[in-house]
């Protein structure tokens, strides 16, 4: 089973008698990168938070947002703060000869934003916040598993297509060897010289052996089988390992292409390369 590094979940919690919305968003990254979008309160629990995220998120870019929830029927305005802000803004405008209109809506919004910052957070509130985040992570994991399932279907279908294309090479492979033999024989007849038949056969065998792709086909099939095996196992983090296997698959496809010496085989090799590139793009988002 595959897990995507992309995920999203949203919840709410109560801190300092105020309701807040919590959002967690994850994106693909080579390692675990954590970004806290409310520095004041989230920094207070950063050590504990990183331990939790390292265990459950494992890898990816993680953004955690904590915002004061807006309620239409719950203003709870701090009139002293609004008055102080209003006077400060008017004083600033007068000092700088700036014309002002109706400042009240702007000042009220400013006071609400300032109210979302914490001067201090109790141990109880820290535990509440950490527990809320832990509860959300199970939802986030389910989201990533669902995204990973879609990626798994796509990736395995492309691996199976590479296997099918590998089978399609075989008829062209046999015809190619016969064409090489006929071409060399014809060229020697054209220059009209006496040829040692035994020596000619030895040279033909040596030349044809250079074009043989039996080992490459076997290794490519083995790599595709191993790729599928890793996708299906129970480990969680497997994106990097699958990436390494994809590199080995690419090497074998490239070698087959370099030995092809046949236009029809080259077309099939190009199709395999195209599927592999699409697989590699998808692997960038696999945990």
């Amino acid at each position: 089973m595959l897990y995507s590094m992309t995920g999203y979940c949203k919840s709410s919690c109560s801190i300092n008698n105020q309701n807040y919305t919590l959002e967690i968003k994850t994106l693909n990254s080579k390692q675990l990168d954590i970004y806290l979008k409310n520095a004041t309160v989230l920094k207070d629990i950063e050590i504990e938070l990183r331990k939790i995220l390292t265990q459950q998120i494992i890898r990816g870019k993680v953004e955690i947002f904590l915002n004061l929830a807006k309620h239409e029927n719950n203003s709870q305005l701090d009139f002293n703060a609004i008055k102080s802000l209003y006077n400060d803004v008017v004083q600033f405008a007068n000092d700088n000869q700036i014309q002002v209109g109706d400042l009240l809506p702007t000042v009220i919004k400013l006071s609400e934003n300032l109210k979302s910052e914490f001067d201090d957070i109790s141990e109880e509130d820290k535990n509440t916040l950490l527990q809320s985040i832990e509860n959300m992570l199970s939802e986030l994991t389910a989201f990533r598993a669902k995204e990973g399932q879609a990626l798994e279907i796509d990736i395995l279908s492309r691996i199976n297509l590479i296997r099918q294309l590998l089978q399609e090479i075989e008829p062209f492979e046999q015809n190619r060897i016969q064409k090489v033999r006929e071409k060399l024989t014809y060229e020697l007849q054209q220059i009209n010289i006496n040829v040692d038949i035994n020596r000619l056969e030895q040279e033909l065998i040596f030349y044809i052996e250079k074009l043989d792709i039996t080992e490459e086909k076997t290794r490519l099939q083995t790599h595709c089988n191993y790729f599928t095996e890793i996708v299906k196992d129970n480990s969680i983090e497997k994106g990097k390992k699958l990436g390494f296997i994809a590199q080995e698959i690419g090497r074998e496809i490239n070698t087959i292409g370099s030995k092809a010496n046949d236009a029809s085989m080259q077309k099939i090799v190009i199709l395999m390369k195209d599927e592999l590139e699409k697989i590699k793009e998808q692997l960038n988002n696999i945990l």
Side-chain angles (χ1 to χ4, degrees), residues 202-233:
Q202 290 176 359
E203 293 297 329
L204 280 172
I205 291 171
F206 178 74
Y207 184 72
I208 290 170
E209 281 180 348
K210 285 187 174 182
L211 299 180
D212 183 64
I213 58 171
T214 302
E215 291 185 7
E216 287 77 11
K217 290 193 301 179
T218 301
R219 286 196 294 266
L220 178 54
Q221 185 67 50
T222 301
H223 292 327
C224 288
N225 293 341
Y226 186 44
F227 188 98
T228 302
E229 180 185 328
I230 296 300
V231 169
K232 295 291 187 180
D233 73 22

Side-chain angles (χ1 to χ4, degrees), residues 2 151-163 165 220 223-224 227-228 231 239 241-247 249-250 253 271-286:
L2 298 180
L151 291 172
E152 179 177 330
I153 293 171
D154 181 76
I155 288 172
L156 289 182
S157 69
R158 298 187 187 282
I159 285 292
N160 289 332
L161 184 54
I162 290 175
R163 288 196 184 102
L165 290 169
L220 178 54
H223 292 327
C224 288
F227 188 98
T228 302
V231 169
K241 182 181 287 187
L242 291 175
F244 295 144
I245 301 172
Q247 289 179 5
I249 291 174
I253 293 174
L271 291 175
M272 288 195 290
K273 286 182 177 182
D274 183 51
E275 294 303 318
L276 183 60
E277 284 305 307
K278 291 174 182 176
I279 289 171
K280 288 180 177 179
E281 288 177 8
Q282 297 285 41
L283 289 179
N284 289 330
N285 199 35
I286 297 298

Side-chain angles (χ1 to χ4, degrees), residues 67-269:
N67 300 305
L68 179 65
K70 307 296 182 182
H71 298 288
E72 294 180 2
N73 298 324
N74 184 17
S75 60
Q76 295 184 353
L77 296 178
D78 187 337
F79 294 106
N80 290 329
I82 293 172
K83 182 178 179 180
S84 177
L85 274 173
Y86 184 87
N87 292 334
D88 289 343
V89 172
V90 170
Q91 185 64 49
F92 176 82
N94 292 336
D95 292 343
N96 293 276
Q97 298 180 346
I98 300 173
Q99 291 186 349
V100 294
D102 185 7
L103 291 175
L104 189 57
T106 302
V107 170
I108 291 174
K109 180 180 285 190
L110 212 72
S111 68
E112 289 178 345
N113 290 336
L114 290 175
K115 188 169 62 175
S116 67
E117 294 292 334
F118 295 90
D119 293 326
D120 192 17
I121 180 170
S122 66
E123 286 299 318
E124 183 180 353
D125 289 334
K126 287 182 183 179
N127 293 333
T128 299
L129 184 54
L130 283 170
Q131 188 60 54
S132 296
I133 292 173
E134 284 197 71
N135 294 340
M136 292 174 67
L137 290 178
S138 59
E139 180 184 342
L140 183 69
T141 300
F143 187 103
R144 297 174 102 187
K146 185 177 180 180
E147 291 286 312
Q149 186 178 19
L151 291 172
E152 179 177 330
I153 293 171
D154 181 76
I155 288 172
L156 289 182
S157 69
R158 298 187 187 282
I159 285 292
N160 289 332
L161 184 54
I162 290 175
R163 288 196 184 102
Q164 293 172 20
L165 290 169
L166 183 59
Q167 297 301 318
E168 293 177 14
I169 282 179
E170 188 169 347
F172 299 109
E173 181 186 358
Q174 298 303 321
N175 293 335
R176 171 198 59 159
I177 293 174
Q178 183 60 32
K179 287 178 182 178
V180 169
R181 182 184 295 273
E182 291 174 356
K183 182 180 178 181
L184 289 174
T185 303
Y186 174 78
E187 293 293 338
L188 287 171
Q189 290 174 349
Q190 290 299 110
I191 60 177
N192 194 23
I193 61 172
N194 293 324
V195 177
D196 185 335
I197 300 300
N198 292 330
R199 179 64 186 273
L200 175 60
E201 286 297 324
Q202 290 176 359
E203 293 297 329
L204 280 172
I205 291 171
F206 178 74
Y207 184 72
I208 290 170
E209 281 180 348
K210 285 187 174 182
L211 299 180
D212 183 64
I213 58 171
T214 302
E215 291 185 7
E216 287 77 11
K217 290 193 301 179
T218 301
R219 286 196 294 266
L220 178 54
Q221 185 67 50
T222 301
H223 292 327
C224 288
N225 293 341
Y226 186 44
F227 188 98
T228 302
E229 180 185 328
I230 296 300
V231 169
K232 295 291 187 180
D233 73 22
N234 294 324
S235 61
I236 296 177
E237 187 180 6
K238 57 184 76 173
K240 291 181 179 179
K241 182 181 287 187
L242 291 175
F244 295 144
I245 301 172
Q247 289 179 5
E248 296 302 317
I249 291 174
R251 287 192 181 95
E252 302 306 330
I253 293 174
N254 288 334
T255 305
I256 291 173
S258 66
K259 289 185 174 184
N261 199 29
D262 181 86
S264 298
M265 285 179 64
Q266 287 286 7
K267 289 179 182 179
I268 295 175
V269 167

